[in-house]
């Protein structure tokens, strides 16, 4: 394992998972970013694995808070999703957010974000924001219909380190709900909501200021938190 510390960024040639590594650093109570060229056990949401071949950007930001109310946790999703979108936009792509924080280009997923928060009472003590962005990494065969990369979308082999520099600078900014809404995709579209074991046809209407999704189901409007439902396009 090739580890070297450079300012607040810890770099690896290969690691199992930058999110898992960040968990071991929580005891230090220090904000830090971890970047790996490859992951041998990349983690996705819902216990899935995340393909992490060389050529992608695999980055985790560990951040500590003193007074961050748990009810505002959507801000962490908002900030990471907008940071990725602004980064992709900077390199000439047209990203959209699939609520709450998947990033798509031309109908295919280009970036996944895995957020793992630690709560103390009604506050968030720290967050681990893991971002996997397909730059020019090869995608597994089974994902070619549903996933894409910056290379596949533009034909250009962008430098992973330039993409990282832009993303890190965006992650340091505070983005707004207006920024988030400006990148929001799939609104007024017929999609499927996954609610436990149920699959419900719905139309997405908007995202409320607190991050909940408003959708229309059989003509009735309902509002959902990201813990309750996921969106299948
Ligand atoms: C998803 O399922 O869409 C979320 C994928 C998140 C992947 C990133 S890559 C960097 C960080 N380390 C991990 O093991 N996972 C996240």
């Amino acid at each position: 394992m090739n580890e070297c510390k450079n300012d607040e960024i810890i770099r690896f040639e290969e690691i199992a998972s930058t999110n898992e590594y960040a968990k071991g650093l929580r005891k230090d109570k220090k904000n830090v970013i971890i970047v790996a060229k490859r992951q041998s056990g990349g983690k996705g949401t819902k216990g899935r694995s995340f393909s992490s071949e060389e050529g992608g950007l695999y980055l985790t930001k560990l951040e500590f808070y003193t007074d961050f109310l748990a009810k505002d946790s959507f801000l962490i999703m908002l900030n990471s999703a907008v940071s990725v979108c602004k980064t992709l936009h900077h390199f000439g792509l047209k990203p959209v957010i699939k609520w709450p924080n998947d990033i798509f280009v031309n109908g295919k997923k280009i970036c996944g974000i895995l957020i793992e928060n630690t709560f103390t009472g009604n506050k968030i003590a720290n967050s681990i924001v893991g971002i996997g962005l397909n730059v020019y990494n090869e995608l597994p065969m089974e994902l070619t219909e549903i996933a894409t990369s910056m290379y596949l979308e533009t034909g250009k082999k962008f430098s992973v380190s330039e993409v990282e520099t832009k993303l890190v600078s965006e992650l340091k900014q505070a983005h707004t709900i207006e920024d988030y809404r400006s990148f929001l995709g799939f609104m007024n579209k017929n999609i499927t909501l996954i609610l436990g074991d149920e699959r419900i046809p719905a139309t997405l209407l908007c995202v409320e200021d607190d991050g909940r999704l408003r959708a229309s189901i059989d003509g009735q409007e309902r509002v959902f938190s990201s813990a309750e439902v996921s969106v299948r396009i």
Side-chain angles (χ1 to χ4, degrees), residues 17-19 39 42-45 50 58-60 102 109 112-114 130-132:
S17 155
T18 52
N19 268 35
Q39 295 183 118
K43 284 180 58 189
T45 53
F50 187 80
Y58 312 108
L59 177 150
T60 293
D102 280 334
K109 184 160 156 175
I113 303 177
L114 175 63
I131 298 174

Side-chain angles (χ1 to χ4, degrees), residues 186-193 200-206 213-224:
F186 309 107
M187 290 296 121
N188 303 308
K189 293 268 185 302
N190 296 329
I191 51 82
T192 303
L193 287 179
I200 309 169
T203 309
L204 301 182
L205 298 177
C206 66
L213 178 72
R214 184 173 288 274
S216 167
I217 300 172
D218 288 334
Q220 300 264 21
E221 287 190 21
R222 284 182 61 184
V223 177
F224 299 96

Side-chain angles (χ1 to χ4, degrees), residues 118-231:
T118 304
F119 296 90
T120 316
N122 66 345
K123 296 206 174 141
I124 303 177
N126 60 67
S127 69
I128 286 176
V129 175
I131 298 174
L133 174 57
N134 298 326
V135 182
Y136 60 84
N137 48 304
E138 274 201 25
L139 301 172
M141 278 284 269
E142 66 272 18
L143 295 185
T144 50
E145 293 294 307
I146 55 170
T148 191
S149 67
M150 294 176 74
Y151 174 71
L152 290 173
E153 292 303 318
T154 63
K156 291 183 202 157
K157 198 170 165 186
F158 293 100
S159 141
V160 178
S161 84
E162 281 174 27
V163 177
E164 178 202 307
T165 302
K166 177 66 180 162
L167 178 61
V168 168
S169 89
E170 290 296 343
L171 285 168
K172 288 181 178 156
Q173 313 293 317
H175 302 293
T176 64
I177 185 76
E178 287 76 27
D179 292 322
Y180 182 88
R181 289 190 180 120
S182 75
F183 287 112
L184 196 53
F186 309 107
M187 290 296 121
N188 303 308
K189 293 268 185 302
N190 296 329
I191 51 82
T192 303
L193 287 179
I194 317 283
L195 181 59
D197 291 338
E198 282 186 279
R199 281 166 164 60
I200 309 169
T203 309
L204 301 182
L205 298 177
C206 66
V207 172
E208 308 279 303
D209 288 352
D210 63 6
R212 288 180 306 156
L213 178 72
R214 184 173 288 274
S216 167
I217 300 172
D218 288 334
Q220 300 264 21
E221 287 190 21
R222 284 182 61 184
V223 177
F224 299 96
S225 75
S226 58
E228 281 176 293
V229 292
S230 55
V231 173

Side-chain angles (χ1 to χ4, degrees), residues 13-21 23 35-54 56-60 109 112-116 128 130-134 137 140 143:
E13 288 292 315
E14 181 171 318
I15 194 174
S17 155
T18 52
N19 268 35
E20 288 305 307
Y21 185 80
K23 285 178 192 171
V35 176
K37 286 192 180 161
R38 302 181 293 278
Q39 295 183 118
S40 54
K43 284 180 58 189
T45 53
K46 303 184 183 79
R48 297 189 189 114
S49 60
F50 187 80
S51 166
S52 309
E53 297 298 323
E54 189 150 352
L57 175 57
Y58 312 108
L59 177 150
T60 293
K109 184 160 156 175
I113 303 177
L114 175 63
I115 299 177
E116 302 184 85
I128 286 176
I131 298 174
L133 174 57
N134 298 326
N137 48 304
L143 295 185

